[in-house]
Amino acid sequence: MSDQRWFTNIPWGIVGIVAVIALIGLTAVYSATYTSRGPSSLYYKQLVWIAVGLIMMVLVLIADYHTVSRYAYVLYAVLIVLLLLVMVMGKTGMGAQRWLAIGAFAFQPSELMKLALTLALARYFAQNQKGNGYLLTDMGVPVTMILIPLVLVLRQPDLGTALMLLLSSSLIILLAGLRVRAVLIVLIIGATLISSMFLIPPVKKKIWGSLKPYQQNRIRAFLDPSSDPLGSGYHANQSKIAVGSGQITGKGFRRGTQSQMAFLPERHTDFIFAVIAEEHGLIGAGFMIFLYLALLLTGIDTAKNAKDRVGALMAGGIVAMLSMSVFINIGMSVGVMPVVGVPLPLVSYGGTSIITTFLAIGLLLNIQMRRFVLFY
Amino acid sequence: MEQDSPVDIQRSLPFLAAFIILFMLVLFTRLWFLQVVKGDYYYDLAENNRIRPVKIRPPRGIIYDRYGRPIVENVLAFDISIVPEDTPDMAATIRKLTSLLKVDAGSIRTALDDAAETRTKYEPVKIQEEAPWEKVAIVEAHQDELPGVIVEPEHRRHYPYGGLGSHQLGYIGKVTQTQRKQDQADLSLLIGQGGIEKTFDKFLRGASGRRMIQVNAAGAKVKDLGIEDPKPGMDLYLTIDLDAQRAAEEALGDRAGAVVAMDPNSGEVLTLVSHPNFDPNLFPRGISPKDWVRLANDPSHPLYNRAIQSVYPPGSTFKVIVSLAGLDTGVIKLDDKVTCAGSIKSGKHTFRCWKREGHGTLSFHRGLVESCDVYFYTIGERIGFDRIARYAQNLGLGTVTGIKLPDEKPGFIPTPAWKQDRLHEPWYTGDTYINSIGQGSLQVSPIQACQLIGAVANGGVIYRPNLILQTRNRETGTVKQTSPERKGRVTIDPAALEELRKALIGVVSEPGGTGHGAQTPIATVAGKTGTAQVIAQKDTHKKLSGATQDHAWFIAYAPVENPRIAVAVLVEHGGHGGGAAAPIARRVIEEYMKNVGSKMVH
């Protein structure tokens, strides 16, 4: 195929959506971190991360996604090692050990693990096909693959990423085709376990006690935000006030009182959506939701058009991963999800998250471009 | 191909799509609810919900003496401050303040301008510190007319004994630029800038808490919302005995000098005095430029901690080391006699004894008791200064003791090799002579002298001087004891040590001994006087006084049978050690021995 063909095969729709989301995100980070002496260095760093992310995205396009898939287990293993390293020598931030320091940069392996697990599961299910759907007994290997990073991430402790890993890999298993009966069994066992967690006092005590105080507080605050408006419920309340006070048209760029006056905590990372909602109102926030919806549906389209199993599973898995991030993050900003630290893809400040997302998008493009069997 | 068909996966994709669309709808509905349905409500909340976190500074740790008597405290004071962001009309507020509080409008503006550089948003600017209660009451009563004006309770550092122990206690002050970079100290806190306040700042500092107050759109306080308590600093129990410290300060009086006392069995510092001293109470609120200039330019250097930062020739106290070296190496035989005719010659130079008419013939014991210079010239030459220097170094001279106070000086022990290297001159017999009686290039700090005599008392163990007996966490009540830290041990022949001790007792109690001033009925004292020449020996025929008069030294320990205290006293330009310094040591020993065994009072 000629270069011309290659170029025209780039799915410009996805690229366009991604670019608009990243740009809006960048302006939000600019606004949220603006200091009295001008734009903060975080804004410039974010600019660099996005540039690096774009380059990584293009690099991922060059190799065939089958090649990428062949290295899925290796990537997964490397990240497990990195997660273990974090446990041993990681940097502590906000009461949890999540970062590895590489020179001046802090690298968060748990972010990249989300993508690695998705790719590893996609490869596993593509290689081990079952005509009539999987039985529960077929789940030994994939469940182990999920549990190892899950436990490591929980130990950090990073409730948000753990929740992400659990939900998005569950979606992938469903996508790969679990038999209906198996799904029902899991649901019943899960419901029993969770209710016993709350109803049997010793079990409840054990699990509750294993949480860090700030995690307990956050869960308490989610169940009843008004209980302690200055302590644990503070984040949730301030975020809701920020979102609600934006009303329909918003207060204007850099004019959000909640965001600018530092009432809103973690406003450039976990609560960046509240900044957008406060400054640009329902119009801006609704537009963001529309953009994410468009991106995710294009991703599903990619999965539908994929020429083989591994492509479909990879694309579907990436959509599952991105959608969970979006749901949990926005849900937390508007008060329908508990406050756990999950970044908003392409928008929240943070190098590892930005790069991981661009890599994922790059893979989607890759699958989309090589969708015709003809190219194989 | 069949094996690789994605068809079954693609069948379940619509469900994923439906799930995504559904959830996005939920989020959008929620947005609609928050922003449209309840938009006005949240908008009002955001407008009126002006919650200000007001920092509550932590109380610094209290410092007690070894018996639990407070020597550094905190006193609650109220400051009147202004939050510019909450003050819509600054000019009007300043007018109101000047009329209500009778303060100068100019000084308020200066305070605001000065703070503008470093403060963060909503950080209050102090406009009157330690306001009297009437003014506090006025501000509280006129809250409505004084938007943005608040009363901040503060813990003011107070040193109830003024200059007492000022050099070891230190003082606190504003965070400097370098400190801010180094340990990200909270800019609004006053932190230790000297002495224990500085070296143990991490313990004493504590951590800020905050009070959330709600203010209305005009910036006036509506109500208190809650408090996150500050973490108070740790309390320190020093090894200092307040009574002994005070006795030493009084005994030294107006004279410049230093007194250091330690427990020879642990290195616990019992007194640490440096005169002239300064009043640390001048510093906590930012010292006035006038006071600072006065302190910094004072020719007597009151900020200088003479106990650890000043080094002096040890004078005859150095004979303790020469004696140890001589006895331990066997060079000094107890019945070897030396005849002192008032001077000794080496080449063209004559080296005098302090006693012009000479001591006659004497052996080691009387040689040390009477501090005969000619005896030690002779012995020093026999031992060789290399060996003497080694003993001096092993006993801690020439290196810092490691006391946890800022800027300790190591002092200096010359050696023949050093002289050759640095001055390109050979070491003459004359060098051995003058250094053997503690003159020449030797330099010793009072705390080193104390450590040295402590090692004689305990049989050769060098302890790192310890200032802290225990720390106490005020919140949990947890008490942590410190333990003695051995820096080294010198093995000395016990018989040699015994002979030295006998002679040191003789210095204080035998006829002709130079240290009678240290005699006390309550304990047997062993000690050695010293006189450090300020100017060269040949000029001694002139009448010396004032700044040209010699420094007086005295080092001692007591009780000899069961040593509890080692003391070093240095009186600058005090004249003879026996006359000026020994009585000070006696006072400290008496005062400390009175309290030994007392219980700590909490």
Side-chain angles (χ1 to χ4, degrees), chain A residues 129 171 175-176 230 238 240-241 243-245 247-248 251 257-258 260-261 263 273 277 281-282 285-286 289 292-293 296-297 300 303-304 306-309 312-313 316 319 323-324 326-327 330-331 334-337, chain B residues 1-6 8-10 12-14 16-21 23-24 26-28 30-32 34-36 38-47 49-53 121-122 210 212 225-227:
Chain A
Q129 201 190 348
L171 273 184
L175 210 57
L230 290 170
Q238 293 303 328
K240 264 199 293 190
I241 294 173
V243 172
S245 66
Q247 295 182 297
I248 295 175
K251 297 174 187 170
T257 52
Q258 291 288 109
Q260 300 297 327
M261 287 181 188
F263 288 141
F273 186 79
L282 182 67
I289 289 185
Y292 279 116
L293 181 62
L296 293 171
L297 291 182
I300 287 183
K304 209 175 90 198
K307 65 173 183 276
D308 50 18
R309 241 181 119 71
L313 277 166
V319 169
S323 61
M324 281 304 152
V326 172
F327 295 160
I330 297 183
V334 298
V336 296
M337 286 277 192
Chain B
M1 210 57 221
E2 165 68 18
Q3 177 69 31
D4 206 24
S5 163
D8 59 319
I9 293 160
Q10 284 160 351
S12 49
L13 284 173
L16 182 58
F19 170 71
I20 290 172
I21 292 170
F23 213 100
M24 288 299 189
V26 169
L27 290 180
F28 188 80
R30 177 71 178 176
L31 271 182
W32 185 277
L34 290 177
Q35 298 190 295
V36 180
K38 298 196 80 177
D40 287 335
Y41 166 74
Y42 282 116
Y43 186 82
D44 284 349
L45 267 190
E47 281 303 289
N49 163 20
R50 295 177 188 247
I51 302 169
R52 300 277 178 270
K121 261 187 185 176
Y122 299 104
R210 56 187 187 155
M212 292 297 209
L225 289 176
I227 270 187

Side-chain angles (χ1 to χ4, degrees), chain B residues 318-377:
Chain B
F318 194 70
K319 290 171 185 166
V320 171
I321 295 209
V322 180
S323 304
L324 258 184
L327 291 165
D328 194 44
T329 54
V331 172
I332 296 178
K333 304 269 188 315
L334 292 177
D335 17 284
D336 275 359
K337 299 269 195 284
V338 170
T339 301
C340 167
S343 69
I344 194 171
K345 269 194 176 278
S346 173
K348 308 184 278 194
H349 298 280
T350 303
F351 295 86
R352 292 204 183 89
C353 185
W354 63 269
K355 196 172 178 184
R356 284 298 179 81
E357 61 275 24
H359 285 93
T361 303
L362 28 66
S363 60
F364 164 71
H365 186 84
R366 292 303 297 176
L368 188 64
V369 169
E370 295 182 42
S371 198
C372 173
D373 290 339
V374 170
Y375 180 83
F376 280 91
Y377 293 150

